[in-house]
Amino acid sequence: QVQLVESGGGLAQPGGSLRLSCAASGFTFSSYAMSWARQAPGKGLEWVSGIYSDGSDTYYADSVKGRFTISRDNAKNTVYLQMNSLKPEDTALYYCARVAEAGEYDYWGQGTQVTVSS
């Protein structure tokens, strides 16, 4: 069955960095685009970043552009989110999701918590 398992979250200071990983299994990872989304306390789900199946193109929300970098290693069935220059407003539960052919997100991980605080 399809599984997405995020890791790498934790506590970071403002201006610090974290690298999230999402390990995928149960499907042909290299055939699917992947995305990261987040949900801050008391707020709705926010799309953060996406990457094509072959990594040839990437997309970012304006709120993270220039600070976050999405990448993938299809040999390891893993997608990453490198987060630099973290801000308190980046505090959220971060999810990775598989992008189905029609563009919807059809599978989600359980999330990894990122807290940015001094």
Side-chain angles (χ1 to χ4, degrees), residues 2 4 27-29 31-35 51-53 72 96-108:
V2 173
L4 300 171
F27 65 102
T28 305
F29 181 72
S31 295
Y32 288 86
M34 298 293 294
S35 280
I51 186 168
Y52 273 17
S53 58
R72 64 191 296 159
C96 70
R98 190 179 81 167
V99 184
E101 287 189 9
E104 76 278 15
Y105 303 145
D106 59 354
Y107 287 94
W108 295 81

Side-chain angles (χ1 to χ4, degrees), residues 8-109:
L11 176 64
Q13 292 191 337
S17 298
L18 285 173
R19 188 196 196 202
L20 306 184
S21 299
C22 172
S25 61
F27 65 102
T28 305
F29 181 72
S30 59
S31 295
Y32 288 86
M34 298 293 294
S35 280
W36 287 94
R38 66 186 181 185
Q39 187 164 25
K43 295 190 177 181
L45 194 64
E46 176 191 17
W47 172 80
V48 173
S49 183
I51 186 168
Y52 273 17
S53 58
D54 62 358
S56 60
D57 220 344
T58 57
Y59 300 90
Y60 300 94
D62 287 344
S63 58
V64 307
K65 201 171 293 182
R67 300 187 298 120
F68 290 11
T69 302
I70 190 171
S71 62
R72 64 191 296 159
D73 185 338
N74 284 349
K76 295 183 178 180
N77 290 352
T78 302
V79 60
Y80 304 96
L81 188 67
Q82 177 67 44
M83 306 186 297
N84 298 331
S85 302
L86 283 164
K87 304 176 180 180
E89 51 263 43
D90 294 319
T91 295
L93 190 58
Y94 282 73
Y95 299 93
C96 70
R98 190 179 81 167
V99 184
E101 287 189 9
E104 76 278 15
Y105 303 145
D106 59 354
Y107 287 94
W108 295 81

